Amino acid sequence: VGAIEMQEAHELRIRAHSDQQFKKNIQKRYNIDPRKITVLILGFRLTRAIHIDGKRSLSEDEHIAHFRNIFIHIQDVFQKNANIVFKMHPGDGNANIYESYKLLDIILCGDDVRTDELMSVSDLCIIDPWTAANYLVLASGVSAICVDFAPVRGRIAPKENFGIKKIINTEGEFARALQDFRGGILEEQYDRRGIDARSIEKIVGLV
């Protein structure tokens, strides 16, 4: 019947775009400046990047640097005209490892924050190809760029499962994609055909 979470993400974004007060309430809750565009970055689990030989492909320092570089590229393109929101992975219980991001004026969100709410008020989402949150990207309709600067050796990202058309593997490609988005010419990065946002109605119909 589909996923209820996908329907909720779809309906939240529709409401945020049709009800300005509803949108302002979410923005206020997360300290998002409505005068700026909002770029949401979804973090992946610190321990998820494991090589086939059992070694992590990113150390903790490299993990922190990975997202810092993403933030810097966004700031280079949008200057001070963007809210940069970082949603930590639920598996990263220790938020202190991301404290240094506050120096870059990043809005840090932990596990107590709803990802679909953040998506509903975001203009662009930066996401990893391995996370199931890609389903929320598909359902919500938010523009998104899928990045994987440190592919895990011996594993192929399941992009077809999430409808991902393209995975950005270099920082140069990422910078160009950001410029394309800013210029309004970024090609659709996801295949959203066949997305069913009516799971709740189907479940009720089966009862």
Side-chain angles (χ1 to χ4, degrees), residues 64 88 92-102 108-110:
I64 300 302
M88 292 177 277
D92 290 342
N94 181 13
N96 293 333
I97 63 174
Y98 299 116
E99 280 295 306
S100 63
Y101 293 163
K102 292 182 179 179
L108 293 179
C109 296

Side-chain angles (χ1 to χ4, degrees), residues 61-80:
D61 288 344
E62 289 170 333
H63 179 92
I64 300 302
H66 167 83
F67 289 107
R68 184 184 297 115
N69 289 341
I70 286 177
F71 303 151
I72 290 172
H73 279 298
I74 295 169
Q75 290 172 332
D76 284 346
V77 171
F78 297 103
Q79 301 301 311
K80 296 185 179 296

Side-chain angles (χ1 to χ4, degrees), residues 89-197:
H89 189 280
D92 290 342
N94 181 13
N96 293 333
I97 63 174
Y98 299 116
E99 280 295 306
S100 63
Y101 293 163
K102 292 182 179 179
L103 299 176
L104 296 173
D105 198 25
I106 307 301
I107 300 172
L108 293 179
C109 296
D111 196 27
D112 57 334
V113 170
R114 287 182 57 178
T115 301
D116 55 1
E117 276 196 343
L118 291 175
M119 281 189 185
S120 74
V121 297
S122 294
D123 299 283
L124 178 66
C125 181
I126 311 301
I127 191 168
D128 179 83
W130 292 94
T131 174
N134 278 288
Y135 285 127
L136 299 183
V137 168
L138 280 173
S140 72
V142 64
S143 294
I145 299 173
C146 190
V147 300
D148 190 9
F149 298 154
V152 181
R153 181 164 55 82
R155 299 175 67 190
I156 300 175
K159 65 179 185 178
E160 290 81 9
N161 295 350
F162 297 132
I164 302 169
K165 290 183 177 180
K166 183 175 183 180
I167 297 175
I168 302 294
N169 293 126
T170 70
E171 293 189 35
E173 283 184 290
F174 180 56
R176 288 190 292 274
L178 289 174
Q179 292 284 3
D180 286 348
F181 176 79
R182 184 183 181 189
I185 60 172
L186 179 68
E187 295 182 0
E188 174 60 68
Q189 304 290 293
Y190 285 75
D191 181 357
R192 303 179 195 268
R193 293 174 298 175
I195 296 300
D196 190 343

Side-chain angles (χ1 to χ4, degrees), residues 6 8 13 43 52 55-56 63 85 90 93 99 107 142 196:
M6 292 177 69
E8 290 176 339
R13 188 162 177 85
I52 197 169
K55 296 180 180 179
R56 280 169 49 186
H63 179 92
V85 182
E99 280 295 306
I107 300 172
V142 64
D196 190 343

